[in-house]
Short mmCIF file of all heavy atoms in Angstrom, two decimals:
data_model
loop_
_atom_site.label_atom_id
_atom_site.label_comp_id
_atom_site.label_asym_id
_atom_site.label_seq_id
_atom_site.Cartn_x
_atom_site.Cartn_y
_atom_site.Cartn_z
N SER R 1 -22.70 -117.11 89.80
CA SER R 1 -21.68 -116.06 89.73
C SER R 1 -21.75 -115.38 88.37
O SER R 1 -22.52 -115.77 87.50
CB SER R 1 -20.29 -116.65 89.95
OG SER R 1 -19.98 -117.56 88.93
N TYR R 2 -20.93 -114.36 88.21
CA TYR R 2 -20.86 -113.63 86.96
C TYR R 2 -19.49 -113.85 86.31
O TYR R 2 -18.47 -113.93 87.01
CB TYR R 2 -21.04 -112.12 87.17
CG TYR R 2 -22.47 -111.71 87.40
CD1 TYR R 2 -23.07 -111.87 88.65
CD2 TYR R 2 -23.23 -111.16 86.37
CE1 TYR R 2 -24.39 -111.49 88.86
CE2 TYR R 2 -24.54 -110.78 86.58
CZ TYR R 2 -25.12 -110.95 87.83
OH TYR R 2 -26.42 -110.57 88.02
N THR R 3 -19.49 -113.92 84.98
CA THR R 3 -18.25 -113.95 84.21
C THR R 3 -18.29 -112.76 83.26
O THR R 3 -19.31 -112.52 82.61
CB THR R 3 -18.11 -115.25 83.41
OG1 THR R 3 -18.06 -116.35 84.31
CG2 THR R 3 -16.85 -115.25 82.56
N VAL R 4 -17.19 -112.02 83.22
CA VAL R 4 -17.09 -110.93 82.26
C VAL R 4 -15.95 -111.24 81.30
O VAL R 4 -14.95 -111.85 81.67
CB VAL R 4 -16.86 -109.55 82.93
CG1 VAL R 4 -18.04 -109.15 83.78
CG2 VAL R 4 -15.59 -109.52 83.74
N GLN R 5 -16.17 -110.87 80.06
CA GLN R 5 -15.11 -110.93 79.06
C GLN R 5 -14.42 -109.57 79.10
O GLN R 5 -15.09 -108.53 79.05
CB GLN R 5 -15.69 -111.20 77.67
CG GLN R 5 -16.39 -112.53 77.55
CD GLN R 5 -15.48 -113.70 77.87
OE1 GLN R 5 -14.37 -113.79 77.37
NE2 GLN R 5 -15.95 -114.61 78.70
N VAL R 6 -13.11 -109.59 79.24
CA VAL R 6 -12.36 -108.35 79.40
C VAL R 6 -11.35 -108.21 78.26
O VAL R 6 -10.64 -109.15 77.92
CB VAL R 6 -11.62 -108.31 80.76
CG1 VAL R 6 -10.84 -107.02 80.92
CG2 VAL R 6 -12.61 -108.48 81.91
N LYS R 7 -11.33 -107.01 77.69
CA LYS R 7 -10.39 -106.68 76.63
C LYS R 7 -9.19 -105.97 77.25
O LYS R 7 -9.35 -104.98 77.97
CB LYS R 7 -11.06 -105.76 75.62
CG LYS R 7 -10.12 -105.21 74.58
CD LYS R 7 -10.80 -104.20 73.69
CE LYS R 7 -9.75 -103.57 72.78
NZ LYS R 7 -10.34 -102.70 71.80
N HIS R 8 -7.99 -106.50 76.98
CA HIS R 8 -6.75 -105.87 77.43
C HIS R 8 -5.92 -105.38 76.26
O HIS R 8 -5.30 -104.34 76.34
CB HIS R 8 -5.91 -106.87 78.24
CG HIS R 8 -6.56 -107.33 79.49
ND1 HIS R 8 -7.34 -108.46 79.53
CD2 HIS R 8 -6.54 -106.84 80.75
CE1 HIS R 8 -7.78 -108.64 80.77
NE2 HIS R 8 -7.31 -107.67 81.53
N CYS R 9 -5.88 -106.15 75.19
CA CYS R 9 -5.06 -105.83 74.02
C CYS R 9 -5.82 -104.88 73.10
O CYS R 9 -7.03 -105.01 72.93
CB CYS R 9 -4.69 -107.09 73.25
SG CYS R 9 -3.75 -108.28 74.22
N PRO R 10 -5.11 -103.95 72.49
CA PRO R 10 -5.77 -102.95 71.64
C PRO R 10 -6.58 -103.53 70.48
O PRO R 10 -7.62 -103.00 70.13
CB PRO R 10 -4.61 -102.10 71.10
CG PRO R 10 -3.44 -102.41 71.93
CD PRO R 10 -3.67 -103.74 72.57
N ASN R 11 -6.13 -104.61 69.88
CA ASN R 11 -6.80 -105.15 68.69
C ASN R 11 -7.64 -106.39 68.96
O ASN R 11 -7.83 -107.20 68.08
CB ASN R 11 -5.75 -105.44 67.61
CG ASN R 11 -5.05 -104.19 67.15
OD1 ASN R 11 -5.67 -103.14 67.02
ND2 ASN R 11 -3.75 -104.29 66.93
N SER R 12 -8.12 -106.54 70.18
CA SER R 12 -8.94 -107.71 70.49
C SER R 12 -10.36 -107.28 70.85
O SER R 12 -10.61 -106.13 71.18
CB SER R 12 -8.34 -108.50 71.66
OG SER R 12 -8.54 -107.81 72.87
N ILE R 13 -11.25 -108.23 70.78
CA ILE R 13 -12.62 -108.00 71.27
C ILE R 13 -12.66 -108.39 72.74
O ILE R 13 -13.21 -107.69 73.57
CB ILE R 13 -13.64 -108.81 70.45
CG1 ILE R 13 -13.66 -108.31 69.01
CG2 ILE R 13 -15.02 -108.74 71.08
CD1 ILE R 13 -14.46 -109.17 68.06
N SER R 14 -12.06 -109.53 73.04
CA SER R 14 -11.94 -110.03 74.41
C SER R 14 -10.76 -110.98 74.46
O SER R 14 -10.57 -111.78 73.55
CB SER R 14 -13.22 -110.76 74.82
OG SER R 14 -13.02 -111.42 76.05
N ASP R 15 -9.98 -110.89 75.52
CA ASP R 15 -8.86 -111.82 75.65
C ASP R 15 -8.81 -112.48 77.01
O ASP R 15 -7.89 -113.24 77.28
CB ASP R 15 -7.53 -111.14 75.32
CG ASP R 15 -7.44 -109.72 75.78
OD1 ASP R 15 -7.72 -109.46 76.95
OD2 ASP R 15 -7.10 -108.86 74.96
N ALA R 16 -9.81 -112.21 77.86
CA ALA R 16 -9.85 -112.86 79.17
C ALA R 16 -11.28 -113.11 79.59
O ALA R 16 -12.16 -112.27 79.39
CB ALA R 16 -9.16 -111.98 80.21
N GLY R 17 -11.48 -114.28 80.19
CA GLY R 17 -12.75 -114.58 80.85
C GLY R 17 -12.49 -114.50 82.34
O GLY R 17 -11.65 -115.23 82.87
N VAL R 18 -13.18 -113.59 83.02
CA VAL R 18 -12.96 -113.37 84.46
C VAL R 18 -14.23 -113.76 85.20
O VAL R 18 -15.27 -113.13 85.03
CB VAL R 18 -12.60 -111.90 84.74
CG1 VAL R 18 -12.37 -111.67 86.23
CG2 VAL R 18 -11.37 -111.47 83.93
N THR R 19 -14.14 -114.82 86.01
CA THR R 19 -15.30 -115.28 86.78
C THR R 19 -15.16 -114.82 88.23
O THR R 19 -14.17 -115.12 88.89
CB THR R 19 -15.41 -116.82 86.73
OG1 THR R 19 -15.55 -117.21 85.35
CG2 THR R 19 -16.62 -117.30 87.51
N PHE R 20 -16.17 -114.09 88.67
CA PHE R 20 -16.14 -113.53 90.02
C PHE R 20 -16.68 -114.50 91.05
O PHE R 20 -17.53 -115.35 90.75
CB PHE R 20 -16.94 -112.22 90.06
CG PHE R 20 -16.31 -111.14 89.23
CD1 PHE R 20 -16.77 -110.85 87.97
CD2 PHE R 20 -15.21 -110.45 89.71
CE1 PHE R 20 -16.17 -109.88 87.19
CE2 PHE R 20 -14.59 -109.48 88.94
CZ PHE R 20 -15.08 -109.19 87.69
N LYS R 21 -16.19 -114.35 92.26
CA LYS R 21 -16.69 -115.15 93.38
C LYS R 21 -18.16 -114.79 93.60
O LYS R 21 -18.58 -113.66 93.34
CB LYS R 21 -15.90 -114.82 94.66
CG LYS R 21 -14.44 -115.15 94.56
CD LYS R 21 -13.72 -114.94 95.87
CE LYS R 21 -13.61 -113.46 96.20
NZ LYS R 21 -12.77 -113.19 97.35
N PRO R 22 -18.98 -115.75 94.08
CA PRO R 22 -20.40 -115.46 94.34
C PRO R 22 -20.61 -114.26 95.27
O PRO R 22 -21.60 -113.54 95.14
CB PRO R 22 -20.91 -116.76 94.96
CG PRO R 22 -20.03 -117.82 94.37
CD PRO R 22 -18.68 -117.17 94.27
N SER R 23 -19.66 -114.00 96.16
CA SER R 23 -19.80 -112.86 97.07
C SER R 23 -19.73 -111.52 96.32
O SER R 23 -20.07 -110.48 96.87
CB SER R 23 -18.72 -112.89 98.15
OG SER R 23 -17.42 -112.78 97.57
N GLN R 24 -19.34 -111.57 95.06
CA GLN R 24 -19.23 -110.36 94.23
C GLN R 24 -20.47 -110.13 93.36
O GLN R 24 -20.51 -109.20 92.57
CB GLN R 24 -18.00 -110.46 93.34
CG GLN R 24 -16.69 -110.49 94.08
CD GLN R 24 -16.36 -109.12 94.65
OE1 GLN R 24 -16.15 -108.16 93.91
NE2 GLN R 24 -16.32 -109.04 95.96
N ASN R 25 -21.50 -111.00 93.51
CA ASN R 25 -22.66 -110.94 92.62
C ASN R 25 -23.36 -109.58 92.60
O ASN R 25 -23.74 -109.10 91.53
CB ASN R 25 -23.67 -112.03 92.96
CG ASN R 25 -23.26 -113.38 92.42
OD1 ASN R 25 -22.28 -113.50 91.69
ND2 ASN R 25 -24.00 -114.42 92.79
N GLU R 26 -23.54 -108.98 93.75
CA GLU R 26 -24.24 -107.69 93.78
C GLU R 26 -23.47 -106.64 92.99
O GLU R 26 -24.05 -105.93 92.16
CB GLU R 26 -24.45 -107.23 95.23
CG GLU R 26 -25.30 -105.98 95.32
CD GLU R 26 -25.60 -105.59 96.76
OE1 GLU R 26 -25.51 -106.44 97.66
OE2 GLU R 26 -25.93 -104.42 96.96
N ALA R 27 -22.17 -106.55 93.22
CA ALA R 27 -21.36 -105.57 92.50
C ALA R 27 -21.26 -105.93 91.02
O ALA R 27 -21.34 -105.05 90.15
CB ALA R 27 -19.97 -105.48 93.11
N ALA R 28 -21.11 -107.21 90.71
CA ALA R 28 -20.97 -107.65 89.32
C ALA R 28 -22.25 -107.41 88.53
O ALA R 28 -22.20 -107.15 87.32
CB ALA R 28 -20.57 -109.12 89.26
#
């Protein structure tokens, strides 16, 4: 699967690790 680091807060580099289901691999 894929994991993306996502920034939500203005002063962060990344504040969330989002791991997608394997069925999302093509889109991810």
